[in-house]
Amino acid sequence: MPRPLIATIHIDSMQHNLMRARDCAPHAKVWAVVKANAYGHGLERGMRGFADADGLALIETENAVRLRELGWTRPILLLEGIFDAGDVDLLVRHQLNSAIHTVEQIAMLEQATLSGPIDLHLKMNTGMNRLGFRPEAFGAAYARLRAIPQVREITLMTHFANADELEHPRLTVLEQVRRFCLGADGLQGQRSLSNSGGVLHQAALSTELSNDWVRPGIMLYGGTPGGRSAAAFDLHPTMTLASEIIGVQDLVAGDSVGYGSGFQAEWPMTVGIVACGYADGYPRHAPHGTPVMVDGILTKLVGRVSMDMMAVDLTHVPHAGVGSAVVLWGAGLPIDTVANAAGTIGYELMCALAPRVRVVEGNLDFNG
């Protein structure tokens, strides 16, 4: 029998979450973001789960080509654009839409011999300060692209730094929108501003925020960028990481658990050993008390996570034993809850799923 650790991908939840994105931004088309192997869910599963999206967005050029090979015929957006002059031909050959965020990328297009039309997303830096042209330089970049005969549509885009916190004290969403409108004034093209946070708060920003395209990522996978819970937004988990208890130890007061003896029992207790560790993608830095579910009962991690195993408190799960079902995150235990306890974010947990973990598909019996 194989090791009992299994990641179950819920395609039905992916479909549901895509519908929620449409509900939040009903007048916009949707780029479903499938970068990082569809946030650890698998590129092909992402394509099926978001089959009703208007387009798929990612950063890896090789995976954009793979989507075409898998049969995806709708638009594909390269969120970081092209990386080399040799990539320009891919845009025409595979009809890829490329973000443009540097003068070097513009020069690649100007110097290329394009055999057909291409569509582009011109990115403005409105305060994120990663990629893009500042508002005062945006018009000049747009003019250079517009002068290339093969350039067809130019969508104007930016990326919110703090869409999970609308009134962030350093940079509000509305201030980024104001900067965007200033830099895009008088320029023709569709607009794409909102990531998951912007989509989820679309109702609160409806009078100020106008999107022709939105770019939801983490919300499609049942997580949120921060603030309210996924359940509060009616988002369903798309990945359940589950295992079993493979050993049980009865401790007396003073006994310690795991490497470094970092956890010491204060009274008699029972611990279960779970077949899951940091080599499977579970965060090694998760502290004592990180929630784990055993036989449907919420309990907690004890001791240090090791490469292949972790220990959980079974004191209040008296009927648990070898073979008992364990949920590390997903159905019944939101991934954001685990991530918050571990001092990280749900994105990282999904993307860190290790290749050795068996992955299956299964519908989620979700009752709210």
Side-chain angles (χ1 to χ4, degrees):
M1 290 291 292
R3 190 163 172 254
L5 183 64
I6 300 174
T8 302
I9 306 302
H10 310 296
I11 300 292
D12 57 334
S13 292
M14 299 168 78
Q15 295 165 341
H16 169 85
N17 295 339
L18 176 61
M19 288 191 293
R20 288 293 299 125
R22 290 200 185 279
D23 290 343
C24 292
H27 304 297
K29 294 181 180 179
V30 177
W31 290 110
V33 179
V34 294
K35 63 182 178 178
N37 196 30
Y39 286 53
H41 290 63
L43 189 66
E44 187 271 343
R45 295 186 191 93
M47 189 182 81
R48 289 192 288 115
F50 308 131
D52 290 335
D54 300 289
L56 298 178
L58 70 174
I59 67 170
E60 306 91 352
T61 53
E62 66 276 17
N63 282 341
V65 174
R66 178 64 180 149
L67 285 171
R68 291 294 188 223
E69 293 171 346
L70 289 169
W72 183 264
T73 59
R74 296 179 189 176
I76 296 175
L77 170 61
L78 294 171
L79 290 165
E80 291 182 0
I82 54 177
F83 301 101
D84 182 85
D87 295 333
V88 174
D89 182 58
L90 295 177
L91 303 183
V92 178
R93 189 171 358 131
H94 298 286
Q95 284 298 285
L96 306 179
N97 193 318
S98 175
I100 299 295
H101 56 83
T102 66
V103 293
E104 289 81 5
Q105 289 174 323
I106 295 177
M108 291 179 199
L109 297 177
E110 290 173 329
Q111 296 162 15
T113 302
L114 293 166
S115 58
I118 57 173
D119 297 322
L120 303 172
H121 269 54
L122 182 60
K123 189 164 193 176
M124 188 188 303
N125 174 14
T126 57
M128 184 73 162
N129 287 318
R130 293 192 311 188
L131 304 177
F133 298 90
R134 289 187 175 275
E136 61 271 20
F138 196 70
Y142 179 93
R144 287 180 64 179
L145 292 177
R146 194 76 281 167
I148 301 173
Q150 294 85 0
V151 171
R152 188 168 47 193
E153 300 291 336
I154 302 177
T155 298
L156 315 180
M157 72 181 296
T158 193
H159 192 73
F160 294 140
N162 304 306
D164 56 316
E165 187 178 347
L166 299 183
E167 298 300 325
H168 194 281
R170 292 185 179 175
L171 183 63
T172 67
V173 169
L174 290 184
E175 172 57 20
Q176 286 195 260
V177 173
R178 186 194 69 80
R179 295 176 187 180
F180 179 83
C181 292
L182 182 67
D185 185 43
L187 303 181
Q188 297 297 311
Q190 294 187 320
R191 267 64 170 167
S192 177
L193 290 82
S194 290
N195 50 9
S196 286
V199 172
L200 292 171
H201 291 101
Q202 180 72 39
L205 298 167
S206 59
T207 59
E208 303 289 341
L209 182 56
S210 177
N211 281 285
D212 297 293
W213 287 84
V214 293
R215 307 183 310 275
I218 190 64
M219 70 172 291
L220 299 181
Y221 302 93
T224 70
R228 295 165 61 191
S229 68
F233 291 109
D234 188 26
L235 299 173
H236 295 185
T238 60
M239 177 192 291
T240 296
L241 183 63
S243 189
E244 294 179 2
I245 300 293
I246 60 171
V248 175
Q249 297 291 332
D250 293 312
L251 310 184
V252 299
D255 281 350
S256 57
V257 178
Y259 287 121
S261 300
F263 176 85
Q264 188 174 50
E266 297 180 5
W267 42 71
M269 64 182 297
T270 302
V271 297
I273 307 305
V274 181
C276 180
Y278 62 76
D280 302 299
Y282 197 90
R284 181 179 182 275
H285 58 268
H288 311 309
T290 298
V292 180
M293 185 169 287
V294 178
D295 282 346
I297 298 174
L298 199 62
T299 184
K300 60 187 179 181
L301 171 73
V302 295
R304 186 181 296 173
V305 175
S306 57
M307 179 180 286
D308 310 303
M309 290 171 278
M310 53 192 285
V312 296
D313 185 359
L314 296 183
T315 304
H316 302 293
V317 196
H319 301 295
V322 172
S324 287
V326 177
V327 173
L328 287 315
W329 64 67
L333 181 56
I335 194 169
D336 289 337
T337 300
V338 179
N340 290 339
T344 184
I345 55 179
Y347 306 69
E348 183 179 16
L349 300 187
M350 295 177 188
C351 294
L353 189 71
R356 76 174 185 176
V357 177
R358 284 189 295 146
V359 179
V360 300
E361 295 179 17
N363 289 341
L364 182 66
D365 182 15
F366 192 83
N367 298 309

